[in-house]
Amino acid sequence: MKIAEIHAREILDSRGHPTLEVEIALSDGTRARAAVPSGASTGRFEAWELRDGDPKRYHGKGVQKAIANVLQVMAPAIRGMDASNQEALDRRLIELDGTENKSRLGANALLGVSLAVARAAAHSQKIPLYQHIAELADEPEPRLPIPLMNILNGGIHADNALDIQEFMIAPVGAKSFQQAIQMGAEVFQMLKALLKKRGLSTAVGDEGGFAPKLQSNQEGLQVLLEAIKQSGYRPGKEIALALDVAANSLFEEKTGTYRFEGDQMASNDLIQLYESWLDEYPLISIEDGLAEEDWQGWKALTQRLSPRVQLVADDLFVTNPKRLQQGIDDGVANAILVKPNQIGTLTETLQAIRMAKGAGFGVIISHRSGETEDTFIADLAVGTASGQIKTGSVSRGERTAKYNRLLRLEDRFALKLAQWKGRL
């Protein structure tokens, strides 16, 4: 199971931008590939995504430099390595880059190779990818994740008045993944009907959710509740609500405050607002409620709301074990959003997941807004038994590809759905 050939190519992501795809061939004839996603709402501490910067080609977003790094730097160094030894492979890639944030070779280049090798190793052993990941993660009981479905968009994901970036539904009462998808799809279609009835747009955005011109964030919460109820489900019992505030986009460094619904708000003001929403709505998860450098605010947020709701750090932790450890030590957040391209290798991703679980943190495996048809994160969520996944709405092929992969895994391997462990 030696690495024999490495190839890389430029493909398009779901937003029409180029991205990197890596293809690996092993000595036994096995071939596998992996495509790398790209984020729109990115934290400043994420590993470096290498783009060409040539304005004459793809408006500077080409990835020919990353491809050259795969072919000219990585390929000669890893050819002949054992594909089943993921840790050794990723260590070699990290050494080749030699920087803290993967800025020499590019995290997108490293990740493409890392994921493609993992998939090739699974194919070579004739086992599903999730099982190979479970072995790498020392996870004895793979589980299907509860989906957090982003069906209503605001913030930088939409051209409307909503400050909050993602309004999600979580089918926490589902008994199977198939039932979870059915519940989510029914609410999605009901939401579409309700928006049409109001004369609002039902066009979908980058992640497949609707982006109507609603007047306030609370109106967004209210219309989701209405869609849940009219679909025949009980809010908070069968389907709960979740938010991604993406507070980085609201934070103003000069004033140290947040611009929210036309007002300047301090961290404590936002915390009080979230607290009032917890009293009024069946919210189970709030992601990026404060900005990535507002550590004091995050401490206060965690102290106040941690017993009541899942507090997810994305931009704060960026799937980085070092930043996650700081959060654990400081008593900040109680869950982490995991995006492999934020850190650059599968091994480091698994390290972050293992560390989060050890601290009792929730773990949510996540897509990016610029996605591909690659379904690696679906197997990652199952193999690590993370319990939750974010892969967008139930529309657009790059989003449903992940859901369909999970449906197939459930059907073929009779996997069980994780149960919601937080407070309802």
Side-chain angles (χ1 to χ4, degrees), residues 65-375:
K65 290 180 180 179
I67 289 173
N69 287 339
V70 171
L71 301 179
Q72 298 170 18
V73 181
M74 299 183 206
I78 68 171
R79 194 175 287 115
M81 291 188 71
D82 183 357
S84 66
N85 192 338
Q86 188 74 37
E87 187 173 351
L89 170 89
D90 289 340
R91 190 184 315 117
R92 183 69 179 121
L93 295 178
I94 293 168
E95 290 171 352
L96 287 170
D97 178 84
T99 66
E100 183 72 20
N101 66 345
K102 317 294 194 301
S103 58
R104 176 172 174 256
L105 301 178
N108 46 344
L110 269 71
L111 186 66
V113 173
S114 181
L115 300 189
V117 169
R119 183 173 271 135
H123 290 351
S124 180
Q125 297 173 77
K126 295 181 172 52
I127 60 175
L129 178 57
Y130 84 83
Q131 184 178 332
H132 178 57
I133 291 172
E135 293 171 359
L136 294 175
D138 296 320
E139 175 52 58
E141 293 186 88
R143 286 284 185 272
L144 290 156
I146 296 170
L148 305 184
M149 301 171 170
N150 173 21
I151 64 172
L152 189 65
N153 298 169
I156 66 169
H157 283 182
D159 183 20
N160 58 24
L162 302 181
D163 295 298
I164 292 173
Q165 186 168 281
E166 298 177 18
F167 294 77
M168 294 171 279
I169 55 172
V172 291
K175 303 303 181 185
S176 67
F177 190 78
Q178 189 280 329
Q179 186 183 24
I181 291 299
Q182 176 185 333
M183 293 165 73
E186 288 173 353
V187 173
F188 175 80
Q189 297 298 341
M190 180 57 70
L191 177 60
K192 182 176 183 179
L194 292 173
L195 294 176
K196 273 190 172 182
K197 188 176 180 180
R198 296 187 186 188
L200 297 171
S201 171
T202 56
V204 299
D206 283 352
E207 297 185 2
F210 302 116
K213 292 189 180 297
L214 301 176
Q215 298 306 307
S216 70
N217 295 292
Q218 284 191 273
E219 187 180 1
L221 291 166
Q222 291 287 356
V223 74
L224 284 190
L225 283 183
E226 186 178 353
I228 292 169
K229 291 174 182 176
Q230 291 204 24
S231 298
Y233 297 109
R234 294 172 295 166
K237 299 295 183 181
E238 293 166 308
I239 300 181
L241 302 180
L243 300 174
D244 175 7
V245 180
N248 270 359
S249 62
L250 309 174
F251 188 66
E252 297 182 353
E253 291 192 18
K254 287 184 179 180
T255 62
T257 59
Y258 297 83
R259 171 66 66 175
F260 194 84
E261 294 190 336
D263 293 326
Q264 294 290 132
M265 301 180 72
S267 301
N268 194 55
D269 297 325
L270 271 180
I271 295 169
Q272 289 180 353
L273 178 65
Y274 300 149
E275 193 167 33
S276 70
W277 286 357
L278 291 177
D279 294 334
E280 190 171 355
Y281 302 104
L283 279 168
I284 61 168
S285 182
I286 299 175
E287 178 186 333
D288 280 353
L290 295 172
E292 64 193 0
E293 283 289 77
D294 190 359
W295 284 91
Q296 290 304 314
W298 267 99
K299 287 182 183 180
L301 175 69
T302 307
Q303 290 170 358
R304 286 270 293 276
L305 302 186
S306 184
R308 300 184 62 186
V309 68
Q310 177 173 261
L311 297 170
V312 186
D314 174 17
D315 293 333
L316 188 73
F317 292 158
V318 291
T319 317
N320 187 312
K322 292 182 180 179
R323 289 185 66 84
L324 172 58
Q325 187 61 61
Q326 181 180 348
I328 293 169
D329 293 342
D330 289 351
V332 165
N334 59 23
I336 182 174
L337 200 72
V338 172
K339 299 171 177 174
N341 80 321
Q342 287 182 326
I343 191 64
T345 67
L346 178 56
T347 296
E348 290 167 293
T349 302
L350 296 178
Q351 181 186 352
I353 293 171
R354 191 177 299 114
M355 182 181 294
K357 284 186 169 186
F361 274 42
V363 177
I364 306 97
I365 306 300
S366 178
H367 64 158
R368 301 308 302 253
S369 57
E371 262 296 337
T372 73
E373 311 86 63
D374 193 311
T375 61

Side-chain angles (χ1 to χ4, degrees), residues 19-60:
T19 191
L20 185 77
E21 181 176 77
V22 175
E23 190 163 345
I24 298 288
L26 303 183
S27 55
D28 61 5
T30 301
R31 302 189 75 90
R33 63 178 183 263
V36 180
S38 178
S41 178
T42 56
R44 74 177 70 176
F45 300 103
E46 292 191 23
W48 184 257
E49 179 186 67
L50 182 61
R51 298 281 180 173
D52 296 339
D54 180 0
K56 296 180 180 179
R57 187 171 185 277
Y58 282 121
H59 304 285

